[in-house]
Amino acid sequence: MRKRHFWPWVWVVLGLLYFFVPLIATFDFSLRARKGVLSFDAYANVFDDTFFYQSFTFSLQAALLTIVISALLIVPTVYWVQLRVPRLRPVVEFVTLLPFVVPAVVLVFGLIRTYSSTLLNSRAGGYSLLVASYVVLSFPYMYRAIDTGLRAIDVRTLTEAAQSLGASWATILLRVIFPNVRIALLSGAFLSFAIVMGEYTIASLLAQPAFGPYMNLKASSAVYEPSALAILSFGLTWGTVALIQFLGRGAPGQTQLGGVR
Amino acid sequence: MAFLDLKNVRKGFAQSVAVENFNLEVERGEFISFLGPSGCGKTTTLRMIAGFETPTSGTIRINGADVTGMPPNRRNVGMVFQSYALFPNMTVADNIGFGLKVARKPAGEIAARVEEMLRTVHLPEFGARYPYQLSGGQQQRVALARALAIQPQVLLLDEPLSALDAKIRVSLRNEIRSIQRQLGITTIYVTHDQEEALSLSDRIVVMSNGRIEQIGTPFEIYNFPTTRFVASFVGTLNVLSAHVASAAEGRLTIDGQEIRASKPLGDVGAGQPINLALRPEIISIDGAADSVPNSTNRLAGTVEDVMFLGPTVRVRVRFGEQALQFDEVNNPHLNPPARGQQITVSFPPEACLILGNA
């Protein structure tokens, strides 16, 4: 019995070391900005930098816009596919997985080639392209979360029940479907949020002042601050995952990423 | 004019026809059951009335208005589903008030109506609960209250008791009937359970393969089935192969023994085979031959099997190649017949249902 438990624990400990040692090392390094003592100077420098706030709020806005557009696009699509054309499900699933297949750099070069003489001539145009690209990047996360959420409820019968009570399509979506996939939607939204906040390639090549390029810039111009930023970035991602878990315990009859409650 | 009128309704899918030549007139306040096996088209017909399916041809009228192509949310038809279909994110009260909110009724009116509906379905204290906090029977009551809250023109129930256990099924069945009578609402009830249909309905529409087999009161459907399908689907039935002795006099022979039907057999020649159906409850053991009238039919046979079921004893008697089964009331002071025993069973000529050529 004792022997049987030994090797699994070895692998678990090795895995934890592999994950945490670099993280702890980075954290330790970020605290050594002042010679001889551990301090949060690097973090203070980051927070004192106006570019940090500018790039962070820029990416925050882009992330929120991405989530809203993505939700408005994907929830009705998944709902309609499940309700009316379930045979198209594999096709839609494949399309939403394309961002995993097509690298971001390919996507952004395609966008630059197509819109260099139109949208990219203006600041608003570039921003629109950035958000549109982020919406595409969010597809796999949003689609999977919402699809799982919708599959956990009997979409067809709930729709018919609402219809028989006089509800229009808009009412059904807003008062029956959206509330019932709220947790799934939040799961997808937080994952998309984490992706967008750390995204570098698209923002950089579209010359947008986002958080990803800012972190990269810092990495080449400062010593301890990049480590502080990496820890902050990790904290942000973990915070969103914790929020998913926290909200996932919430409302009755709700679903979260990964299956039925 | 009938309150709900279905004329020549047909529904075809790519590979098959679900409903064919469906004609039905339902009066206001009537309780109609669609009864039939799975795939007979009863739910499709109900869904066409609700507006979830569009007929390939034919018309559906409710209270004189043609609703054939009307979307379901404009029909004012209440629907109760087998799976309850309560909105999981809403409380019981919000579920019941949903249709009224959609119709933009004042909040006070909604609250009063929700209270009234909760009392109607005997759940006055459950308004603040969520569907997942209720049992199956309670959820279905809420679903019924929700459908009734909008005061629909027609109430449609799609096998509403199928997911419940036997005891709750019977009590909720009685409740549905009593609420329907109390509100006088025109109701269509889909079921494959004959007992439900017989006990609830003013009239039953028996369906098979997308067609109506017979429409009638439960009494007519059970006692006077017009087709072999209805006879065999509704209730238990012994179908025996007989030969015509005299069609005009209604005389038949089974395994060489002559019996008599109460009516002439129609246009059938002597010696022709014919199907005869007998309900088990009309058959009894002919223990005291002197006490039954001479006109009673008698068949002598051998007891093949005896099953003790508690309140009744099921006996199977063989006559040559054929057998019939019937239930005797259990009498603790009388021994049931033994296997292999020669007995005579009796039944009146009126009990003979002639189902046509064998």
Side-chain angles (χ1 to χ4, degrees):
Chain A
M1 198 71 173
R2 194 172 281 248
K3 201 176 174 185
R4 268 168 57 195
H5 281 169
F6 176 74
W7 284 107
W9 277 112
V10 167
W11 294 119
V12 167
V13 169
L14 276 177
L16 288 173
L17 286 174
Y18 181 80
F19 183 76
F20 279 106
V21 166
L23 199 62
I24 292 165
T26 308
F27 181 60
D28 180 69
F29 187 69
S30 74
L31 298 177
R32 294 184 184 275
R34 201 183 301 170
K35 202 172 180 185
V37 281
L38 296 177
S39 73
F40 284 98
D41 286 3
Y43 294 87
N45 292 341
V46 165
F47 288 126
D48 283 343
D49 188 354
T50 49
F51 288 118
F52 169 78
Y53 287 106
Q54 280 171 5
S55 62
F56 189 83
T57 47
F58 179 90
S59 284
L60 189 70
Q61 281 175 3
L64 293 177
L65 206 54
T66 299
I67 288 163
V68 171
I69 295 171
S70 194
L72 288 176
L73 202 65
I74 289 187
V75 174
T77 306
V78 180
Y79 171 61
W80 200 251
V81 166
Q82 283 200 15
L83 192 69
R84 294 289 154 124
V85 276
R87 66 181 184 282
L88 280 187
R89 210 172 146 259
V91 178
V92 177
E93 202 170 322
F94 174 75
V95 170
T96 61
L97 285 175
L98 279 178
F100 284 160
V101 183
V102 181
V105 70
V106 175
L107 172 73
V108 76
F109 273 118
L111 288 173
I112 290 168
R113 259 188 88 91
T114 312
Y115 296 107
S116 59
S117 57
T118 52
L119 277 175
L120 283 173
N121 286 337
S122 69
R123 201 169 161 179
Y127 185 70
S128 311
L129 271 187
L130 179 79
V131 173
S133 311
Y134 285 169
V135 169
V136 172
L137 280 192
S138 74
F139 275 175
Y141 311 101
M142 289 292 270
Y143 175 82
R144 298 214 152 253
I146 292 164
D147 187 52
T148 307
L150 277 176
R151 266 139 70 86
I153 57 172
D154 188 349
V155 170
R156 178 179 292 274
T157 316
L158 288 182
T159 301
E160 289 178 352
Q163 279 182 310
S164 73
L165 295 165
S168 63
W169 288 113
T171 309
I172 294 169
L173 265 172
L174 286 175
R175 282 160 84 166
V176 178
I177 301 303
F178 267 104
N180 278 302
V181 293
R182 188 166 57 91
I183 300 303
L185 190 60
L186 282 174
S187 303
F190 283 128
L191 285 173
S192 303
F193 179 78
I195 299 295
V196 170
M197 288 308 287
E199 203 285 325
Y200 167 75
T201 315
I202 296 173
S204 170
L205 290 171
L206 288 178
Q208 296 295 312
F211 192 52
Y214 168 77
M215 285 198 290
N216 190 55
L217 186 72
K218 270 284 168 203
S220 58
S221 62
V223 182
Y224 299 102
E225 284 76 6
S227 301
L229 276 172
I231 295 297
L232 287 173
S233 182
F234 256 107
L236 190 70
T237 309
W238 285 1
T240 55
V241 171
L243 259 176
I244 294 171
Q245 292 301 321
F246 176 73
L247 293 169
R249 297 181 308 161
Q254 297 280 302
T255 53
Q256 59 183 349
L257 192 66
V260 187
R261 279 181 75 245
Chain B
M1 183 186 269
F3 186 71
L4 171 64
D5 189 7
L6 289 94
K7 276 226 173 353
N8 300 318
V9 172
R10 178 179 190 276
K11 178 67 187 176
F13 292 108
Q15 303 290 323
S16 60
V17 176
V19 179
E20 182 94 85
N21 195 27
F22 193 99
N23 289 286
L24 178 68
E25 291 187 350
V26 182
E27 295 306 321
R28 190 189 287 268
E30 235 187 327
F31 194 119
I32 301 282
S33 288
F34 292 171
L35 176 66
S38 298
C40 72
K42 55 189 190 299
T43 295
T44 307
T45 310
L46 191 86
R47 290 173 62 80
M48 285 194 280
I49 299 170
F52 302 137
E53 303 282 355
T54 309
T56 312
S57 61
T59 56
I60 300 171
R61 287 177 175 276
I62 299 176
N63 201 13
D66 188 344
V67 298
T68 315
M70 191 183 276
N73 59 331
R74 288 175 48 205
R75 292 193 183 199
N76 192 25
V77 166
M79 181 105 174
V80 177
F81 298 84
Q82 183 182 348
S83 57
Y84 324 133
L86 296 178
F87 307 126
N89 57 310
M90 296 182 201
T91 62
V92 165
D94 287 341
N95 264 282
I96 297 173
F98 181 84
L100 302 168
K101 262 188 196 159
V102 167
R104 296 177 198 279
K105 301 279 182 200
E109 191 184 319
I110 295 173
R113 183 81 181 140
V114 167
E115 279 299 308
E116 184 192 341
M117 284 297 104
L118 282 170
R119 278 198 306 275
T120 305
V121 296
H122 308 298
L123 294 172
E125 310 295 326
F126 287 69
R129 295 204 191 175
Y130 280 92
Y132 78 97
Q133 294 171 312
L134 306 180
S135 69
Q138 287 168 338
Q139 286 191 53
Q140 199 56 297
R141 282 177 200 203
V142 174
L144 180 64
R146 183 179 66 177
L148 291 171
I150 57 166
Q151 292 176 306
Q153 299 193 87
V154 181
L155 176 65
L156 307 174
L157 300 111
D158 187 8
E159 308 211 25
L161 308 179
S162 301
L164 304 173
D165 64 61
K167 213 168 183 178
I168 291 168
R169 215 156 48 212
V170 173
S171 75
L172 197 51
R173 173 171 97 191
N174 297 337
E175 222 165 289
I176 287 173
R177 184 54 167 146
S178 122
I179 291 169
Q180 190 271 338
R181 283 208 175 115
Q182 186 189 323
L183 301 177
I185 189 166
T186 310
T187 303
I188 307 288
Y189 188 99
V190 162
T191 182
H192 60 262
D193 184 329
Q194 45 168 298
E195 196 181 308
E196 258 172 47
L198 291 168
S199 62
L200 283 170
S201 322
D202 293 319
R203 283 190 297 155
I204 297 172
V205 178
V206 184
M207 294 180 70
S208 166
N209 293 324
R211 290 173 180 276
I212 294 176
E213 288 278 336
Q214 188 177 350
I215 302 175
T217 63
F219 185 84
E220 288 165 350
I221 294 286
Y222 189 82
N223 292 309
F224 309 110
T226 53
T227 68
R228 184 181 180 136
F229 174 82
V230 177
S232 58
F233 188 76
V234 181
T236 316
L237 203 69
N238 293 290
V239 179
L240 300 169
S241 178
H243 287 89
V244 176
S246 164
E249 293 170 26
R251 286 192 293 114
L252 307 148
T253 59
I254 295 174
D255 192 36
Q257 305 180 64
E258 190 169 299
I259 60 163
R260 192 181 287 267
S262 60
K263 291 183 206 160
L265 305 177
D267 192 17
V268 206
Q272 289 279 318
I274 200 164
N275 279 319
L276 168 76
L278 290 168
R279 294 274 181 215
E281 65 270 18
I282 210 87
I283 302 166
S284 58
I285 297 174
D286 190 25
D290 298 339
S291 66
V292 289
N294 284 337
S295 60
T296 299
N297 290 312
R298 291 184 179 80
L299 283 173
T302 310
V303 175
E304 189 176 66
D305 197 16
V306 180
M307 270 186 283
F308 184 72
L309 302 175
T312 57
V313 179
R314 184 160 296 165
V315 183
R316 192 163 70 235
V317 181
R318 180 156 290 281
F319 311 93
E321 294 295 307
Q322 304 187 73
L324 63 76
Q325 194 166 275
F326 61 96
D327 292 344
E328 279 279 295
V329 177
N330 173 32
N331 183 342
H333 306 294
L334 288 176
N335 283 332
R339 225 180 300 171
Q341 185 183 333
Q342 292 290 315
I343 60 167
T344 303
V345 295
S346 62
F347 49 91
E350 295 75 30
C352 297
L353 301 170
I354 305 301
L355 301 177
N357 292 352

